[in-house]
Amino acid sequence: FNSFLKDYYKTDFRPYTKYKDLNISHTAYENLINSNSKDFSAYLTELKQWAGDKNRKLKIKDKSKGKTFELKPFLQLEDDDINPIELYAYYLGLYINNQYRGIYLNYILSFPVTYEMKIRQKLLLSFEAGLRRSLPDIGDKIGDLSVVAGVSEPASYASIALQEYGLGENEKNFYAIFDFGGGTTDFDFGIFRFA
């Protein structure tokens, strides 16, 4: 983790981090499943819940060095603190922005309905910082980077799913979405119609 952080903060754009130093998503999950119980603190399994809880602290243990990093609650993080949300956004940005897919500068985030405005704002800033660092140096175009809040997670799902079902543009479609995941139960209901 120290090696990753050292590389991460060396440059503002596309640092030369090593994938073996810090994993996320499916790779991290596979490593967790196959790890010893003594390494459990080396994995963050409730990142979303930590961000949404104003009082929850985190401890991260570096597997290779045994050093423990203590993190404040998400809203209390300052600019020079380790921000796991920013690091996660950095990795997502590396997956999205590359020589095969191109460079994308417009992002819309959705949030659980229970997240208050301060948490949403800090998430937006954290994602922007991580995505910015994932990009190559694109000069003045970096000013076009946009990370904005969209609708709630269930409403986002509804808008995509209902379109995929091939609904007609002149129809009113009643829907109800219940999202039982990530430690919260989010819901959204309404009438879907094309603008």
Side-chain angles (χ1 to χ4, degrees):
F1 193 53
N2 271 328
S3 177
F4 174 86
L5 291 174
K6 182 180 167 191
D7 292 339
Y8 184 75
Y9 291 116
K10 262 187 194 169
T11 181
D12 292 335
F13 298 103
R14 194 58 70 92
Y16 293 111
T17 56
K18 296 169 197 71
Y19 189 73
K20 68 178 179 62
D21 289 340
L22 179 68
N23 297 147
I24 66 164
S25 192
H26 302 293
T27 304
Y29 179 74
E30 282 296 318
N31 291 340
L32 171 63
I33 296 301
N34 297 314
S35 70
N36 295 321
S37 60
K38 68 180 178 66
D39 291 332
F40 183 74
S41 296
Y43 298 91
L44 297 181
T45 58
E46 296 185 352
L47 197 57
K48 184 176 173 183
Q49 293 82 354
W50 168 73
D53 185 340
K54 292 189 284 190
N55 300 310
R56 188 182 289 197
K57 298 177 182 178
L58 278 181
K59 286 186 179 183
I60 306 169
K61 184 178 178 185
D62 189 323
K63 280 175 47 174
S64 65
K65 303 290 183 194
K67 181 178 179 184
T68 300
F69 299 85
E70 294 191 26
L71 302 178
K72 304 173 204 171
F74 180 58
L75 281 179
Q76 295 176 24
L77 291 181
E78 297 174 23
D79 290 342
D80 57 343
D81 290 327
I82 296 168
N83 184 338
I85 302 292
E86 177 184 330
L87 300 180
Y88 185 70
Y90 164 72
Y91 264 107
L92 291 177
L94 291 178
Y95 287 133
I96 295 167
N97 298 296
N98 57 55
Q99 65 187 1
Y100 305 107
R101 292 188 186 100
I103 302 296
Y104 296 88
L105 298 175
N106 297 307
Y107 297 87
I108 300 173
L109 299 183
S110 65
F111 303 100
V113 294
T114 57
Y115 280 14
E116 62 183 69
M117 193 54 68
K118 287 180 182 179
I119 293 171
R120 293 175 189 215
Q121 290 294 25
K122 187 151 185 89
L123 283 167
L124 288 170
L125 293 172
S126 298
F127 260 82
E128 183 177 338
L131 289 167
R132 180 180 304 274
R133 200 172 292 265
S134 76
L135 295 168
D137 187 352
I138 55 174
D140 292 342
K141 290 294 284 176
I142 196 66
D144 294 340
L145 178 62
S146 168
V147 182
V148 298
V151 295
S152 70
E153 290 175 340
S156 295
Y157 172 78
S159 66
I160 298 300
L162 292 169
Q163 288 179 63
E164 289 298 314
Y165 288 130
L167 302 173
E169 288 191 26
N170 296 326
E171 298 176 25
K172 284 185 180 179
N173 301 282
F174 297 90
Y175 72 90
I177 304 291
F178 295 88
D179 175 6
F180 302 99
T184 60
T185 301
D186 299 341
F187 63 90
D188 192 71
F189 57 90
I191 301 171
F192 177 83
R193 62 179 179 252
F194 288 89

